[in-house]
Amino acid sequence: MSDDPAKPSKAKRQADMALVASYHEARLADLLERVRDGFERYDSGKLDAFELDELIHRYKKAARELWKFCAEMTGGRNASFIARTLEEIQARGETIDWWERGNPERRRR
């Protein structure tokens, strides 16, 4: 047991890491669904190869932003902070749109 009352217990850190990992996997699956849809649209002729390539590029950027957010849990050091952040976001009924977070609107010149 830790002498620091502010430091979460080992069980709490493990639970927080599991929460963050579960969130990461679920949001990654959401992003991958966009890629799956893109391939279906490509196969049906609704997208050309360049459009599908752009979609895949956007996926990579969105997945990277999600990874950066969730990877802060490395070694469990920040998992508690991220878990509390996720709980607060959920309590407010909000979500993070990782697709948009990874692909902000480009300024038009």
Side-chain angles (χ1 to χ4, degrees):
M1 207 171 277
S2 172
D3 293 334
D4 183 357
K7 186 176 179 182
S9 68
K10 181 178 179 179
K12 182 62 175 160
R13 285 191 315 272
Q14 288 174 334
D16 289 342
M17 288 172 47
L19 174 72
V20 175
S22 175
Y23 175 82
H24 189 182
E25 184 174 13
R27 298 299 70 81
L28 191 58
D30 293 343
L31 294 173
L32 286 167
E33 279 302 314
R34 288 182 177 260
V35 175
R36 182 190 315 272
D37 179 62
F39 274 99
E40 289 173 4
R41 291 172 34 218
Y42 174 75
D43 290 342
S44 68
K46 293 177 183 172
L47 286 182
D48 64 26
F50 294 107
E51 291 167 320
L52 180 59
D53 181 62
E54 177 62 24
L55 184 136
I56 293 168
H57 182 66
R58 288 191 67 170
Y59 160 79
K60 287 294 290 175
K61 289 171 32 179
R64 181 176 49 240
E65 289 302 311
L66 173 62
W67 180 86
K68 287 190 312 190
F69 177 80
C70 294
E72 289 295 321
M73 70 177 191
T74 303
R77 290 182 294 247
N78 296 319
S80 294
F81 174 76
I82 294 168
R84 298 300 76 74
T85 300
L86 292 172
E87 289 169 350
E88 289 175 21
I89 290 168
Q90 183 180 20
R92 291 191 307 256
E94 299 173 0
T95 59
I96 300 172
D97 185 339
W98 292 105
W99 188 258
E100 290 304 317
R101 172 92 41 112
N103 298 282
E105 241 352 91
R106 295 181 188 147
R107 290 186 185 172
R108 304 263 183 226
R109 291 183 191 195

